Amino acid sequence: MRLRFRFKLIPFIATVLLVALGISLGQWQDRRAGEKLALEAKLLAGAAAAPLAIGAEPLKAADIEYRRVTLTGQFLGAWPLYLDNRPHQGRAGFYLLMPFRLAGTNMHVLVARGWVPRNTGDRNRLPDTPTPSGTITIEGRARLNAGHVMELGEAPPLGAQLIVQNVTPQQVAEATKFAFQPFVVEQTSADGSEGSGPAALVRDWPAPALGVDKHRGYAFQWYALAAMALIFFIVTGFRSGSKQ
C-alpha cells in the first residue's frame, strides 16, 4: 500500500493554532521559571551578605530587596497598624506594622514587627503588644511590601491604631507627613518587647513561593501539547491519503 499525504485546510489551521499556543505558553512558563531562579539567587545572596545599615539617604527598594538590614532608632508607638487576614499555622491574626525613626535623622522605615494572634471573642479588640522604648538596634529583611490580600470596596482613610487589609510605606508617609524609605523591613531580631502568652509576637516570616519545578512541569506539558497536535495532523493526513 502506497502512503500519500492528504492536505486539509481546516485541520491544518487548527494544528497551527495549537502548536503556536503550546509553544507560546511553554516559553512563558520557561520565563517564569527563569524569574524564580533569579529570585532564588537574590534570596541566597541577600542572606549571605553582611547586614546593610539603613540611614537617611533614600534607597531604591528593588536594590536591597531580600537584603539583611540593620536599623538604629526608635519605634513610634503611637502609630501601630494591624494588617488583617494574615493567618499563621491555621490561627487568625495580624502583622503588626510600626514606623521606626532612624536615629539622628527625619527618615523612617515601616517595620513589620511580627505576627500576633487575633482575639476570637472580640474581632475589633487590638492586641496589647508592648513597644520598646528608647534607641534600639534591630535587624530584619527588606521587602518591597508587606504582602497583599484581596480587599473588597474602598479602604477608609489611613490612621493610627487601625486594622487594615493592605498598606504601603508611601501611604503611611502621606498619612503621617513623615519621610519614609520605600520598603518594609520584616524584623527578625529580638527587641526585648516580644512578651509571652497569647499576645506574644511571632517572627516566623513566610518565605517567598518559588515553584521553579512547577513552572518547568507546566512548560513541558505545553510543549507536549504542541508536539502531539503536529504528530496527530501528520498521522491523520497520511491515513486519509492511504484510503484514496
Side-chain angles (χ1 to χ4, degrees), residues 8-31:
K8 294 183 179 181
L9 180 60
I10 293 179
F12 173 75
I13 294 174
T15 300
V16 170
L17 292 176
L18 283 173
V19 170
L21 177 66
I23 292 175
S24 176
L25 291 176
Q27 290 176 336
W28 176 67
Q29 290 293 343
D30 280 339
R31 288 194 296 271

Side-chain angles (χ1 to χ4, degrees), residues 42-193:
K42 195 172 185 178
L43 279 167
L44 293 174
L52 174 68
I54 303 300
E57 181 181 356
L59 301 172
K60 292 183 179 180
D63 290 344
I64 66 165
E65 185 182 16
Y66 302 118
R67 278 288 304 269
R68 292 165 56 209
V69 299
T70 59
L71 310 174
T72 298
Q74 63 185 79
F75 282 107
L76 303 187
W79 253 94
L81 295 168
Y82 300 87
L83 286 188
D84 200 2
N85 293 319
R86 266 64 177 190
H88 176 71
Q89 296 182 351
R91 300 175 62 193
F94 306 105
Y95 285 165
L96 172 59
L97 269 62
M98 195 172 289
F100 188 92
R101 176 175 290 164
L102 299 173
T105 77
N106 291 320
M107 181 62 74
H108 299 72
V109 177
L110 187 59
V111 175
R113 293 186 56 202
W115 178 90
V116 64
R118 186 169 199 160
N119 188 307
T120 56
D122 182 0
R123 291 182 57 82
N124 293 319
R125 182 176 178 180
L126 299 176
D128 184 17
T129 305
T131 302
S133 59
T135 300
I136 61 173
T137 297
I138 61 173
E139 185 173 317
R141 182 173 60 178
R143 297 293 302 270
L144 296 181
N145 52 61
H148 187 87
V149 299
M150 182 179 294
E151 186 171 3
L152 300 177
E154 186 175 350
L158 189 63
Q161 302 185 44
L162 288 183
I163 297 174
V164 296
Q165 300 295 319
N166 302 289
V167 71
T168 66
Q170 181 180 359
Q171 290 172 325
V172 181
E174 292 173 353
T176 60
K177 309 304 180 185
F178 296 148
F180 273 81
Q181 293 283 9
F183 50 83
V184 174
V185 170
E186 293 176 341
Q187 184 178 344
T188 55
S189 65
D191 58 28
S193 66

Side-chain angles (χ1 to χ4, degrees), residues 27-38 210-212 215:
Q27 290 176 336
W28 176 67
Q29 290 293 343
D30 280 339
R31 288 194 296 271
R32 292 288 292 150
E35 292 170 1
K36 294 299 179 66
L37 286 172
L210 296 176
V212 175
H215 290 295

